[in-house]
Amino acid sequence: MSAQQAVTGAALSGAGLPGAVWQRMRGGNSLLPIVAALVGIWLVLGAVNPAFLAPENLVNLTLQSAPVGVIALGVVLVLLVGQIDLSVGSLSGLAAAVVAVGSVTLGWPVALAIGAALACGVVVGLGYGALSTRLGLPSFVFTLAGLLFLAGVQLRVLGPFGSINLPFDSWFVRSVQQGFLPTPAAWALVAAVVVTSVAVQLTARARRRRADLACASVPQIVVRTGVLAAVLSGIVAYLGSARGIGYSVVLFALLVVVTDVLLRRTRWGRSVRAVGGDRRAAMLAGVPVQRTVVLCFVACSTLAALGGVLAAGRLGAANQGTGGADTYLVAIAAAVIGGTSLFGGRGSAWSAVLGVLVIQSIANGLTLMNVDQAARYMVTGAVLLLAIIIDMLMRKRREA
């Protein structure tokens, strides 16, 4: 990097790291404002009711967030390509019903029942992809039809009883309800994540320096690594004072990390953003638009089915209310509140994490304050409306 480029980079970034942070917050792709909003929500709820920030309650919050978060992660993918899936709630309910009926009524091994539930998600995703790419139908229309159709299939699968309890002593229910990462394993995971983060940042810095491109300085890498290590260590230590980190939460975090890497580091991820940003331009540039859209629908439906499987394991049952009317609303709201654009092309896998934590934190805090369901819906709706307004303003700013 030349001296002139270094001076220009320093001027553009303000005054070092604080200036870079400010520039990122002003940009449309930063998650920092959402993190700040989440911290603010936690501080307010903790001040109103100290029980909210208790380790045991936060453990429950993470367990509640995992199934919906997995569904929201799939919603992020379809929103990135400018589509939407309104049937994720019904599909998650159907997947829960398949697991319950297969493992209890039909006597299948639990693993086979889970595989059948995930296969349902793959089939539904392929069907949606064909309707979108081959027939050109709007995703709002055929996923709304899918919502109704899959809800009917769920009722038919459950049969006349309408509710099936899973064996409490099965490995599946025990893992989801009572399975927590051992403390040594949790700290080893933190160390592995920090070391991997350092290696990735140093490799990216060396590659960009060889290409004579602007890159992160060593102090910036040190600060980022220190913040990451402090946050992860605080989470493990604080939650470890109660029951710890559940296996379902670890699975959700792993899915988010893998999805984030795929979106940022692979050709498929670049294709997803290109299709969502400008579909016609992506097609003219040689991007496989149809294949990308189909894969996003398949990923969304499969993750919705997995979310239903986790929900069945957490509740230890599947019934007619599993994947109910508000499931898809919460999942879509979580993706949008987390910073994913409804117009495609902008968003992150971490949007699912932040968005679902915002929604579940509000619901959990209001429940602790004995606020009724009506007020919870109104507050969540107001937060969603605010997120959509911000999304519109950012879109107009980018177009200008």
Side-chain angles (χ1 to χ4, degrees):
M1 182 184 297
S2 65
Q4 182 179 1
Q5 288 175 323
V7 173
T8 304
L12 291 175
S13 62
L17 185 61
V21 172
W22 171 247
Q23 289 294 332
R24 289 193 62 188
M25 291 186 68
R26 291 184 62 188
N29 295 321
S30 176
L31 296 174
L32 294 177
I34 308 166
V35 174
L38 178 61
V39 172
I41 291 172
W42 281 16
L43 292 177
V44 170
L45 293 176
V48 174
N49 191 336
F52 174 79
L53 294 178
E56 186 65 29
N57 184 64
L58 293 184
V59 170
N60 289 330
L61 177 62
T62 59
L63 294 176
Q64 294 166 3
S65 301
V68 182
V70 171
I71 300 174
L73 181 61
V75 174
V76 167
L77 293 177
V78 293
L79 288 179
L80 280 174
V81 292
Q83 305 291 329
I84 196 168
D85 189 348
L86 301 178
S87 67
V88 289
S90 297
L91 181 54
S92 68
L94 174 59
V98 169
V99 170
V101 171
S103 60
V104 177
T105 305
L106 301 179
W108 295 350
V110 176
L112 178 60
I114 294 175
L118 298 180
C120 291
V122 174
V123 171
V124 171
L126 289 174
Y128 286 166
L131 291 174
S132 176
T133 58
R134 300 297 182 182
L135 300 181
L137 297 179
S139 57
F140 182 91
V141 174
F142 62 74
T143 58
L144 179 59
L147 182 154
L148 300 173
F149 179 81
L150 294 174
V153 176
Q154 176 188 354
L155 298 180
R156 181 60 59 89
V157 170
L158 288 172
F161 298 103
S163 179
I164 299 176
N165 294 325
L166 296 170
F168 183 75
D169 57 349
S170 68
W171 65 266
F172 171 59
V173 176
R174 289 201 312 269
S175 298
V176 178
Q177 287 187 355
Q178 305 175 16
F180 292 89
L181 202 64
T183 302
W187 286 110
L189 184 61
V190 170
V193 170
V194 172
V195 171
T196 303
S197 174
V198 172
V200 169
Q201 291 184 77
L202 292 178
T203 301
R205 182 176 186 273
R207 185 172 63 249
R208 293 183 68 85
R209 282 177 62 87
R210 287 195 300 268
D212 199 23
L213 298 173
C215 60
S217 63
V218 173
Q220 286 178 325
I221 294 177
V222 171
V223 170
R224 292 173 184 171
T225 305
V227 171
L228 177 64
V231 170
L232 294 180
S233 299
I235 292 174
V236 170
Y238 197 68
L239 296 183
S241 62
R243 287 175 291 170
I245 303 175
Y247 287 143
S248 60
V249 179
V250 175
L251 175 61
F252 175 40
L254 180 62
L255 290 173
V256 170
V257 171
V258 171
T259 304
D260 180 63
V261 172
L262 291 175
L263 288 176
R264 294 191 301 108
R265 302 288 182 180
T266 65
R267 179 179 298 177
W268 176 77
R270 291 188 290 271
S271 299
V272 169
R273 297 188 183 279
V275 172
D278 192 328
R279 185 164 182 163
R280 179 173 176 79
M283 186 179 300
L284 294 176
V287 175
V289 174
Q290 293 187 351
R291 184 175 64 187
T292 302
V293 172
V294 171
L295 288 176
C296 285
F297 272 116
V298 171
C300 177
S301 297
T302 305
L303 289 172
L306 179 58
V309 171
L310 294 177
R314 173 165 171 74
L315 296 176
N319 52 54
Q320 295 176 349
T322 307
D326 62 340
T327 301
Y328 81 94
L329 295 175
V330 172
I332 296 175
V336 176
I337 291 173
T340 304
S341 176
L342 285 170
F343 305 98
R346 182 172 63 83
S348 166
W350 297 100
S351 300
V353 179
L354 297 175
V356 76
L357 283 178
V358 168
I359 291 181
Q360 296 289 9
S361 297
I362 293 173
N364 183 280
L366 295 179
T367 300
L368 291 176
M369 291 185 288
N370 294 321
V371 178
D372 59 10
Q373 186 72 21
R376 277 180 274 174
Y377 279 140
M378 288 188 288
V379 172
T380 304
V383 174
L384 175 60
L385 177 61
L386 178 61
I388 294 175
I389 292 174
I390 294 175
D391 180 31
M392 286 290 297
L393 295 177
M394 288 183 174
R395 183 169 179 261
K396 290 181 178 180
R397 178 180 177 182
R398 289 196 306 272
E399 290 177 350

